């Protein structure tokens, strides 16, 4: 055993002055571009580092097979990036767009497990603001499904928006909590008729049913003429009562 010389660093003296894991951590400090770095849980990362954290451009492979490609900041997904879901032996797009602190923030394109698509604004990982969603149809044009374009709040249709249904019918008006609420017009395209009214919780409370292009009274299929003496006044009262009873109309504004 070699003689001990005063002032010489030994393993024993290092243990007394600092924990060894801190020494190893400094020795493994990651900065700049690196080849694959492995986690004990099976995850992998290839890309840039800063301050021993993922920072810059990089690709992270999660233990379940999913992967994220894009920007990182201080160890979190931040900037522009794409999240891919690994399913049945191949990758499927889950989200492509802006990120902040690991969640979608800003503009982005999203596909859920059923293939439904949303493209629009995000806030704290939720649909917020203006956006377009396709349910059950072709994402590029909505063929074969329902398409909503309008306002969102906390992942729900809320505000003013238009829903085009698979059968061609259209609803234009106000929404609250994913349901028709407030003033709106429903167009029965195959019948050439429209329904203008007040809605609450997806139910019509008061309204008028008219031809989109009025036909002469004698035309087959034409709507019969109203027999009320003062139809406009009666309708106005009914519409206002529907608003007062069923809609928080202070939450919306309309022309």
């Amino acid at each position: 055993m070699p003689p001990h010389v005063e002032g010489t660093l030994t393993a024993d003296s290092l243990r007394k002055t600092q924990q060894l894991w801190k020494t190893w951590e400094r020795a493994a400090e990651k900065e700049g571009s690196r080849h694959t770095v492995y986690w004990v849980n099976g995850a992998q990362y290839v890309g840039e580092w800063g301050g021993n954290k993922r920072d810059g451009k990089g690709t992270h492979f999660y233990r379940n097979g999913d992967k994220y490609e894009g920007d990182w900041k201080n160890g979190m997904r931040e900037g522009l990036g794409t999240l891919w879901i690994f399913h049945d032996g191949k990758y499927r797009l889950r989200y492509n767009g802006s990120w902040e602190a690991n969640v979608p923030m800003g503009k982005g394109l999203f596909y859920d497990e059923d293939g439904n698509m949303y493209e629009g604004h995000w806030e704290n990982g939720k649909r917020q603001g203006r956006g377009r969603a396709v349910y059950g149809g072709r994402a590029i044009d909505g063929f074969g499904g329902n398409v909503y374009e309008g306002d969102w709040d906390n992942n729900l249709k809320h505000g003013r928006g238009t829903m085009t249904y698979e059968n061609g019918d259209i609803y234009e008006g106000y929404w609250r909590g994913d349901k028709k609420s407030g003033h709106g017009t429903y167009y029965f395209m195959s019948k050439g008729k429209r329904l203008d009214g007040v809605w609450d919780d997806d139910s019509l409370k008061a309204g008028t049913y008219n031809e989109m292009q009025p036909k002469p009274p004698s035309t087959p299929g034409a709507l019969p003429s109203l027999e009320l003496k003062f139809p406009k006044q009666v309708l106005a009262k009914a519409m206002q009562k529907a608003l007062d009873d069923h809609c928080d109309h202070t939450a919306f504004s309309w022309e």
Side-chain angles (χ1 to χ4, degrees):
M1 183 173 180
H4 174 69
V5 179
E6 191 69 28
T8 301
L9 291 177
T10 65
D12 185 59
S13 64
L14 281 173
R15 289 189 188 97
K16 292 178 181 179
T17 58
Q18 61 183 346
Q19 294 174 299
L20 283 178
W21 71 266
K22 292 184 179 179
T23 303
W24 298 333
E25 181 73 10
R26 283 195 296 272
E29 189 81 11
K30 294 177 282 294
E31 194 78 30
S33 297
R34 285 293 185 100
H35 294 297
T36 306
V37 175
Y38 299 88
W39 275 257
V40 293
N41 64 5
Q44 304 174 30
Y45 174 78
V46 181
E48 299 175 336
W49 294 78
N52 211 29
K53 294 182 179 180
R54 290 163 294 180
D55 200 290
K57 300 286 185 181
T59 300
H60 188 97
F61 298 88
Y62 299 90
R63 63 180 301 179
N64 64 356
D66 299 347
K67 70 175 178 178
Y68 169 82
E69 299 175 296
D71 296 329
W72 296 82
K73 184 177 180 180
N74 199 31
M76 294 188 288
R77 294 170 295 195
E78 187 149 331
L80 295 177
T82 304
L83 177 64
W84 301 89
I85 301 300
F86 191 70
H87 183 72
D88 290 339
K90 58 184 178 181
Y91 283 107
R92 295 182 179 178
L93 177 64
R94 173 54 52 88
Y95 177 80
N96 177 60
S98 298
W99 298 76
E100 185 175 316
N102 264 343
V103 298
M105 178 76 82
K107 292 184 178 180
L109 172 66
F110 170 82
Y111 287 88
D112 68 13
E113 292 83 356
D114 299 321
N116 299 319
M117 184 274 290
Y118 170 82
E119 185 173 17
H121 195 268
W122 295 78
E123 188 172 325
N124 295 322
K126 297 182 178 180
R127 290 165 286 188
Q128 185 79 29
R130 298 290 295 181
R132 174 178 179 268
V134 177
Y135 305 94
R138 192 165 57 192
I140 189 171
D141 57 8
F143 178 78
N146 301 331
V147 180
Y148 173 81
E149 294 186 68
D151 296 329
W152 296 78
D153 181 55
N154 197 32
N155 265 344
L156 302 175
K157 297 183 285 291
H158 193 94
R160 186 159 193 162
T162 299
M163 178 72 86
T164 302
Y165 296 92
E166 182 181 359
N167 64 359
D169 291 350
I170 298 172
Y171 171 80
E172 293 180 345
Y174 286 86
W175 300 75
R176 181 174 57 199
D178 244 9
K179 297 181 179 180
K180 297 185 285 291
S181 291
H183 276 292
T185 300
Y186 193 101
Y187 297 91
F188 299 89
M189 302 304 291
S190 62
K191 300 178 180 179
K193 296 178 174 60
R194 59 182 287 171
L195 181 59
D196 299 277
V198 174
W199 307 73
D200 184 35
D201 199 28
D202 262 351
S203 298
L204 179 69
K205 298 304 177 180
T208 58
Y209 190 51
N210 301 297
E211 305 279 0
M212 290 186 198
Q213 296 180 345
K215 302 174 183 178
S218 60
T219 303
L223 293 174
S225 300
L226 290 172
E227 299 297 333
L228 292 173
K229 187 173 183 180
F230 302 107
K232 291 184 178 180
Q233 291 88 330
V234 173
L235 176 62
K237 289 182 180 179
M239 296 276 275
Q240 187 59 50
K241 187 177 188 304
L243 281 171
D244 294 340
D245 291 347
H246 302 283
C247 294
D248 179 16
H249 51 277
T250 59
F252 303 110
S253 62
W254 50 75
E255 300 176 356

